[in-house]
Amino acid sequence: MTMSDGPRAVVAGHGKFAEGLISAVEQITGMGQMLTPVSNTGLAPTAIEAVVREALASSGATVVFTDLPAGSCTACVRRLNKLSPDITLVTGVTLPTLLAYVMGASIEESVARGREALGTVEPPRGA
């Protein structure tokens, strides 16, 4: 599958987190279609797991990006991973991580780009 063939990964998180990140990826790269959003809003853990499983099956993706390392989406993907070890889980996803990934970087490179993008800007002294 080439990058333009369709979804390569599922993005899962709280509220409209996944939709927002995918919208930003689309605006910046035009490749938002490569990502499938999943929200845990109003879902019990078993339902989240079912939604993620369906997103993986319908998209053919084997990578899931989640918002929190200890969140409900991550816990569900960890359970799925025990049954299907070919699923790769990336937690704490950021926009720079997803941008790198859809542009063809490996998962490891994408995670590194996300880490490198974190920073702070201190207010000027005396302000």
Side-chain angles (χ1 to χ4, degrees):
M1 172 165 47
T2 66
M3 283 190 258
S4 61
D5 285 337
R8 295 181 59 203
V10 171
V11 181
H14 292 80
K16 294 184 180 181
F17 176 82
E19 289 177 22
L21 280 179
I22 293 171
S23 172
V25 167
E26 177 62 26
Q27 184 174 353
I28 295 166
T29 68
M31 294 190 286
Q33 77 282 359
M34 294 175 58
L35 305 167
T36 301
V38 169
S39 174
N40 66 358
T41 299
L43 301 178
T46 54
I48 298 168
E49 193 171 315
V51 172
V52 171
R53 185 187 309 264
E54 172 57 31
L56 288 167
S58 66
S59 68
T62 58
V63 177
V64 181
F65 293 95
T66 63
D67 55 355
L68 294 172
S72 56
C73 292
T74 299
C76 289
V77 176
R78 287 182 185 272
R79 283 193 297 278
L80 289 174
N81 189 257
K82 289 179 183 176
L83 303 172
S84 183
D86 63 324
I87 298 170
T88 301
L89 170 62
V90 179
T91 65
V93 68
T94 64
L95 181 57
T97 303
L98 287 180
L99 290 171
Y101 188 72
V102 300
M103 296 301 291
S106 70
I107 292 171
E108 294 80 13
E109 292 169 328
S110 299
V111 169
R113 298 246 180 92
R115 284 188 184 125
E116 291 165 2
L118 281 172
T120 59
V121 177
E122 299 291 330
R125 296 214 189 275

